[in-house]
Amino acid sequence: MSKKGSKKFTKKANKTLHKQYNFSTTEIWNADHAIVNFSYQILKKYKKSKRHGYPVEFKNPEEWEKVLDRILKAFKRTLNDYADSPMNKAYDKLYKKHPECLEFKFNKQKDGNYLMKNKHEDLHDKYITYEVREKEKAYNQEIEEAIKLFGKYLLNMWD
């Protein structure tokens, strides 16, 4: 196909996709969330369906099911805006006990910009500890690894 023919095909395909799926502006601006939402919904159904195979690198179907569970867990956490993350849990505790910590002050800098600072940094540091930050790293790493597994096994999600 010539370059000109290829461009016409691409334009036509894009128009067809737009008509078929009719993405909202919100879905476009939050494409990550829209893609994860779609993938999560279809993977839930895929996992519940009767399947007859699994990727050859696994010793048994149970290993494949565990990978699917990891991916679904990561997608669910993403869709729930990471509500169960160690950092979010710590902030929830902080704000529940000390709602005044939601207050901020703005310090004007020499360059004319403002630096936003929590008025109660001492309380903040009691809840957002080194341990919480380390747990948050592990939490995020778990999600990233599951998303990598999704990419790795995407072409094996058929039966």
Side-chain angles (χ1 to χ4, degrees):
M1 184 182 294
S2 70
K3 267 190 168 180
K4 192 173 184 180
S6 177
K7 283 184 181 180
K8 282 184 182 179
F9 175 79
T10 305
K11 283 183 181 181
K12 185 177 180 181
N14 284 339
K15 283 181 183 180
T16 303
L17 277 174
H18 183 70
K19 282 180 186 176
Q20 184 178 355
Y21 295 107
N22 197 21
F23 298 113
S24 71
T25 304
T26 303
E27 289 170 316
I28 300 297
W29 287 346
N30 297 299
D32 58 338
H33 195 276
I35 291 166
V36 167
N37 187 31
F38 176 82
S39 300
Y40 177 73
Q41 301 306 324
I42 202 164
L43 263 180
K44 277 192 341 186
K45 291 187 190 263
Y46 172 76
K47 186 157 174 19
K48 289 178 184 176
S49 70
K50 184 176 179 181
R51 291 172 276 120
H52 306 285
Y54 52 90
V56 294
E57 64 196 71
F58 295 115
K59 295 175 189 156
N60 55 54
E62 289 77 22
E63 287 182 4
W64 177 229
E65 296 304 313
K66 287 179 183 177
V67 167
L68 293 173
D69 288 339
R70 285 179 66 187
I71 295 167
L72 284 165
K73 182 179 179 181
F75 284 175
K76 189 171 186 176
R77 284 177 162 175
T78 302
L79 294 172
N80 290 331
D81 293 324
Y82 314 102
D84 66 336
S85 82
M87 193 73 82
N88 282 335
K89 285 180 178 181
Y91 274 116
D92 288 345
K93 285 180 188 175
L94 170 64
Y95 296 144
K96 189 173 186 175
K97 288 187 179 182
H98 304 283
E100 68 275 12
C101 286
L102 289 167
E103 299 171 17
F104 294 90
K105 56 186 171 186
F106 298 89
N107 299 331
K108 191 171 184 175
Q109 304 298 298
K110 290 179 183 177
D111 61 4
N113 291 317
Y114 286 87
L115 177 66
M116 184 172 95
K117 213 164 181 199
N118 193 297
K119 284 186 177 180
H120 305 279
E121 287 290 324
D122 54 327
L123 288 172
H124 179 274
D125 292 342
K126 286 181 184 177
Y127 288 83
I128 313 303
T129 62
Y130 174 79
E131 181 183 74
V132 168
R133 292 177 198 280
E134 289 301 305
K135 286 181 181 177
E136 184 75 7
K137 283 181 193 175
Y139 175 92
N140 289 326
Q141 186 174 357
E142 187 179 321
I143 292 170
E144 287 174 22
E145 287 171 5
I147 290 171
K148 286 178 185 174
L149 288 171
F150 176 69
K152 180 177 180 179
Y153 294 112
L154 178 62
L155 299 178
N156 294 115
M157 295 179 187
W158 61 274
D159 204 61

